Amino acid sequence: MPTTTYSVNGMTCGHCTAAVTEELGKLPGVQEVAIDLVKGGTSAVHVTSEGALDETVVREAVDEAGYELAAPGASA
């Protein structure tokens, strides 16, 4: 299963990471979400999924959680 890393701006705490994890976890095919939190900076969000995810759908999920997807994902 591929893992894609996304950059997300605006997260500052565990509640922030929980909100993003919850929204991304609802996407079809997502198996795991792991976040390297950088308080007030750009955090790395690692998403393991059954297949490639549409970046627009990922962006919408991050927006729904109240944060901003900073850059296109890159495969890890």
Side-chain angles (χ1 to χ4, degrees), residues 7-12 20 38 40-43 45 62 66-71:
S7 297
V8 177
N9 291 328
M11 295 188 289
T12 59
V20 171
V38 177
T42 301
S43 300
V45 178
V62 171
Y67 305 96
E68 177 187 6
L69 191 64

Side-chain angles (χ1 to χ4, degrees), residues 31-55:
Q31 299 296 310
E32 181 180 3
V33 178
I35 298 176
D36 297 328
L37 178 64
V38 177
K39 294 181 180 183
T42 301
S43 300
V45 178
H46 311 284
V47 180
T48 303
S49 57
E50 294 172 355
L53 297 173
D54 182 331
E55 187 174 324

Side-chain angles (χ1 to χ4, degrees), residues 10-36:
M11 295 188 289
T12 59
C13 64
H15 175 76
C16 301
T17 61
V20 171
T21 299
E22 179 182 352
E23 291 301 325
L24 291 174
K26 293 177 184 178
L27 299 179
V30 170
Q31 299 296 310
E32 181 180 3
V33 178
I35 298 176
D36 297 328

